[in-house]
Amino acid sequence: MTGDGTRTTASATARTPAASASPEHPGAPARAWRNRLLVVGIVLAALNLRPAITSFGALLEEVRDGLGMSGSVAGLLTSLPALCFAVFGVTAPRLARRFGPGAVVCAGMAAIATGLLVRPFVGTTAAFLLTSGLALAGIAVSNVLMPVIVKRWFPDRVGSMTGLYSMALALGTASAAAVTVPVTDALGGDWQAGLAVWAALAAAAVLPWIPFVRKRDATSREGAPESPQRDGQTQGEPAGQAPALRITRSRTAWALAVFFGLQATAAYITMGWMAQIFRDAGVPAGRAGLLLAVTMVMGVPLAFVIPRLAARLPRQGPIVLALGVSGLIGYAGLYFAPAAGAWAWAVLLGVANCAFPLALTMVGMRARTGGGVAQLSAFAQSTGYLISIPGPLLVGVLYQHSGGWGLPIALMAGLMVPQMIVGVVAGRDRTVEDEAAG
């Protein structure tokens, strides 16, 4: 009888390739096509994760004049991305378990397109906030699920795939900063049309995700690693269904959350206010937008290189320190000679902003399992964005009440020091599963 059971198991194992040709388990050609489509979807989604923010930053003065905003209200708007990312990002793992990550990202892209199309024409500050929140909610859930999708579908290429979508994210960020003002000028100076055009890119990003809108079980099996050891799950276990970790017991998770929050603070202050800093220093509006674009475009090559380098190192602390020093020098330049050395400061702050792809890479490296990555990504991003909420708002208040940029820039530089400290802690060779279990 034991022999019969052994033969039955062997027979079932032998049938695995045939089973993989079923609709639930596509054959090799279908799997290759699906993976290529998924790469396209990831790139298009990443391109849409920041234009809602940087296009607004490039036209901040025009939007303020058009809607009658004070500096404090404008600061609230620059804090809105962090608030939405904290509130909606934490829901992403639960939504992915219920509907599948592909369906959630597809819906996220649709929300971005709708919000970007509607918000310029609503006519009031409150409605502008609400429609911006819709777009940012779509960004929030997609932010959290990108590391999860990479870990699940490309478990052996976490560094390179993280680099690819980080590079696409930086490209979308820089493009919105660079071309929003020229496009607005080409459209007759209509800032509403200049903001609304970015809805087209988000609408295009919906299309490649439509084939991945499946039922939850099909989605969880689809693209799961062939080997059960690849992501720590047992054969047939749906991805993302691993037992929940007590993630708050992990020091690494907390360090990564604080690091994420501080780098997000710096990034959203930069995206929301840097163009205005240059404009107030006497730089023309078009050149100020281009300088912001230079800051953002630095992330295109570095966002591809840094994750690959980080994935090869057991500790990422040296990269954290190098990025932090670049940021400190850039802030010092903004304080002492904002116009004279504008291009150098834009480049240095662009290097410092590459803490974001580094943080995403560490999310994938600090957890062994797909479920662990999902929990760590949601915790680090939601907690981190919650931490980052006061920063851009405080910059707006300090700017309005001090009448200059000295205090806001001092705040930005001061926050870089704890960012470097917690980044070194988060970069240690640990996993949240071990720490949560201990």
Side-chain angles (χ1 to χ4, degrees):
M1 186 174 293
T2 302
D4 291 341
T6 303
R7 285 192 296 273
T8 301
T9 302
S11 176
T13 303
R15 287 195 301 268
T16 300
S20 67
S22 67
E24 289 81 10
H25 301 276
R31 187 179 298 113
W33 175 87
R34 180 205 62 197
N35 285 349
R36 285 193 290 269
L37 182 63
L38 184 60
V39 170
V40 172
I42 289 172
V43 170
L44 283 176
L47 286 171
N48 282 280
L49 295 182
R50 293 299 179 270
I53 303 164
T54 51
S55 61
F56 168 72
L59 295 175
L60 178 59
E61 188 170 308
E62 288 76 10
V63 176
R64 285 179 59 187
D65 292 341
L67 297 179
M69 292 182 194
S70 66
S72 297
V73 173
L76 177 61
L77 270 169
T78 57
S79 291
L80 187 63
L83 175 63
C84 290
F85 293 172
V87 171
F88 296 107
V90 74
T91 67
R94 181 177 300 176
L95 292 171
R97 285 194 296 269
R98 181 170 183 180
F99 302 106
V104 177
V105 174
C106 186
M109 294 299 109
I112 295 170
T114 303
L116 292 184
L117 181 63
V118 173
R119 76 171 179 174
F121 305 105
V122 290
T124 66
T125 299
F128 192 92
L129 283 165
L130 288 174
T131 49
S132 294
L134 175 62
L136 293 167
I139 295 172
V141 294
S142 302
N143 268 337
V144 171
L145 293 180
M146 285 293 107
V148 178
I149 288 169
V150 167
K151 182 76 169 182
R152 180 176 300 174
W153 270 274
F154 306 97
D156 298 326
R157 290 184 281 162
V158 170
S160 59
M161 287 302 300
T162 300
L164 179 64
Y165 82 74
S166 298
M167 185 171 65
L169 188 151
L171 181 61
T173 305
S175 298
V179 307
T180 297
V181 172
V183 167
T184 302
D185 291 340
L187 295 172
D190 184 355
W191 64 265
Q192 295 169 307
L195 290 181
V197 294
W198 294 102
L201 182 62
V206 174
L207 302 178
W209 288 99
I210 292 174
F212 297 93
V213 179
R214 308 275 183 87
K215 291 183 180 180
R216 181 191 61 183
D217 290 341
T219 306
S220 63
R221 287 193 300 267
E222 176 187 342
E226 295 293 330
S227 169
Q229 286 79 23
R230 272 181 168 174
D231 69 349
Q233 295 171 343
T234 58
Q235 184 71 26
E237 180 188 7
Q241 298 298 312
L245 298 172
R246 302 172 89 177
I247 198 77
T248 55
R249 296 177 59 178
S250 169
R251 292 181 180 180
T252 297
W254 279 108
L256 189 53
V258 176
F259 178 70
F260 208 102
L262 292 175
Q263 68 80 29
T265 300
Y268 290 115
I269 289 173
T270 299
M271 285 186 278
W273 290 107
M274 198 176 85
Q276 192 64 48
I277 292 174
F278 286 127
R279 291 177 74 167
D280 286 351
V283 177
R287 189 184 304 170
L290 188 58
L291 285 164
L292 178 59
V294 168
T295 298
M296 300 297 110
V297 83
M298 289 302 299
V300 176
L302 291 178
F304 188 71
V305 172
I306 287 176
R308 294 169 67 89
L309 176 61
R312 290 180 170 89
L313 297 175
R315 297 172 180 267
Q316 289 73 47
I319 304 177
V320 170
L321 295 176
L323 299 180
V325 169
S326 295
L328 289 174
I329 297 172
Y331 289 133
L334 277 184
Y335 185 89
F336 290 107
W343 296 104
W345 319 141
V347 169
L348 286 168
L349 291 173
V351 173
N353 277 350
C354 288
F356 176 72
L358 176 61
L360 292 179
T361 306
M362 288 196 287
V363 167
M365 296 180 67
R366 296 286 89 88
R368 286 197 306 270
T369 67
V373 171
Q375 284 187 256
L376 180 58
S377 181
F379 176 76
Q381 294 200 46
S382 295
T383 305
Y385 285 127
L386 190 64
I387 291 170
S388 71
I389 291 171
L393 176 60
L394 185 56
V395 165
V397 172
L398 289 175
Y399 170 58
Q400 180 171 347
H401 290 282
S402 69
W405 287 106
L407 286 178
I409 292 172
L411 171 67
M412 299 178 216
L415 291 176
M416 188 60 68
V417 176
Q419 177 181 321
M420 295 163 70
I421 294 171
V422 294
V424 170
V425 175
R428 297 175 302 170
D429 189 11
R430 309 285 177 85
T431 64
V432 293
E433 287 89 351
D434 291 339
E435 292 183 341

